[in-house]
Amino acid sequence: SQQGEEDPQALSIQEGENATMNCSYKTSINNLQWYRQNSGRGLVHLILIRSNEREKHSGRLRVTLDTSKKSSSLLITASRAADTASYFCATDGASGSARQLTFGSGTQLTVLP
Amino acid sequence: EPEVTQTPSHQVTQMGQEVILRCVPISNHLYFYWYRQILGQKVEFLVSFYNNEISEKSEIFDDQFSVERPDGSNFTLKIRSTKLEDSAMYFCASRPRTGSRDQPQHFGDGTRLSIL
């Protein structure tokens, strides 16, 4: 089974518009995290939402989590050209202390100036 | 802000050769990870390391792979005899051990490994 599938795979919007990306997962989780990756670069942590939380905000980012549907969404408001990147959800579902992440396949966001 | 640093940024190696990828995790972090991302694919977990030993590993992490923390700062991934399919971006990550169980992992910029 595949954990952490995002949709859409690609999203192209105009600057100033909102961008919404969705993530679905299959197993129970401790938390869900969203990361951003600029082309050829590393993963930058954006936001973490715990399994007992339903919504979280950080600046222009809003994340929701529905554990009954095993899904999450990331909303970027008032997008900028600099938001162009790939966005990945990652689930922390390990029962042990290592807490490795399982990543989705990502959404490629393009914000047009 | 402290960062995870990885060297080299790009490594080109002949098939069958050994390669060592290096990482310096954030200094007060206690959990260390290696992930890889084959071009166009998902980021995949390889191995986690805590208290000087492997805590978990994926099926990708076979006998050709090993990790080591040779001193108080470096964390290395060795591939003993590289194959073409080892070509990927390799990411190191670290995480603190705090009272909260929910701490994000901090990633380096990765090493792009190209096997010829």
Side-chain angles (χ1 to χ4, degrees):
Chain A
S1 64
Q2 296 197 28
Q3 183 86 334
E5 294 298 321
E6 288 95 333
D7 78 85
Q9 289 187 324
L11 179 62
S12 184
I13 59 174
Q14 293 290 332
E15 207 165 26
E17 293 180 339
N18 296 341
T20 299
M21 290 160 269
N22 302 296
C23 167
S24 60
Y25 58 93
K26 294 189 182 300
T27 64
S28 59
I29 62 171
N30 296 308
N31 63 65
L32 186 144
Q33 303 176 37
W34 285 89
Y35 286 83
R36 165 197 168 121
Q37 183 182 36
N38 284 43
S39 181
R41 300 297 304 276
L43 295 151
V44 176
H45 179 261
L46 295 176
I47 195 165
L48 179 153
I49 186 165
R50 296 183 174 85
S51 60
N52 61 353
E53 296 176 313
R54 292 297 165 258
E55 188 171 313
K56 200 161 184 179
H57 297 254
S58 176
R60 292 185 296 113
L61 305 180
R62 173 177 169 255
V63 169
T64 62
L65 179 65
D66 186 335
T67 52
S68 66
K69 294 181 180 176
K70 291 187 167 57
S71 67
S72 173
S73 68
L74 172 68
L75 169 67
I76 304 174
T77 60
S79 62
R80 306 166 183 166
D83 294 329
T84 294
S86 291
Y87 291 82
F88 296 89
C89 69
T91 51
D92 171 355
S95 57
S97 62
R99 311 291 290 270
Q100 70 265 29
L101 297 174
T102 302
F103 282 84
S105 46
T107 293
Q108 173 61 52
L109 174 66
T110 302
V111 182
L112 302 169
Chain B
E1 187 174 327
E3 292 182 340
V4 175
T5 56
Q6 290 186 243
T7 55
S9 56
H10 191 190
Q11 174 81 44
V12 181
T13 302
Q14 291 286 333
M15 186 173 62
Q17 296 295 307
E18 175 183 286
V19 66
I20 297 176
L21 309 182
R22 302 181 192 280
C23 170
V24 179
I26 296 173
S27 63
N28 63 345
H29 286 190
L30 298 178
Y31 291 93
F32 313 115
Y33 306 84
W34 283 102
Y35 294 82
R36 80 171 185 191
Q37 184 181 31
I38 295 172
L39 186 64
Q41 297 187 24
K42 294 183 181 186
V43 176
E44 301 173 289
F45 166 72
L46 292 178
V47 64
S48 59
F49 193 85
Y50 171 70
N51 202 24
N52 286 319
E53 60 183 21
I54 290 173
S55 44
E56 295 194 48
K57 60 183 180 180
S58 72
E59 58 189 27
I60 302 169
F61 194 88
D62 61 21
D63 292 345
Q64 293 299 313
F65 291 87
S66 62
V67 289
E68 197 175 41
R69 188 158 161 81
D71 52 42
S73 58
N74 290 286
F75 178 51
T76 62
L77 174 69
K78 181 193 291 187
I79 308 175
R80 191 170 310 130
S81 177
T82 49
K83 309 182 189 74
L84 292 176
E85 54 263 38
D86 294 327
S87 294
M89 184 77 101
Y90 288 79
F91 293 106
C92 173
S94 67
R95 181 173 71 85
R97 183 179 183 189
T98 67
S100 167
R101 289 170 61 81
D102 294 304
Q103 290 289 333
Q105 293 180 22
H106 297 258
F107 284 77
D109 276 346
T111 292
R112 180 168 299 285
L113 178 63
S114 300
I115 307 301
L116 304 178

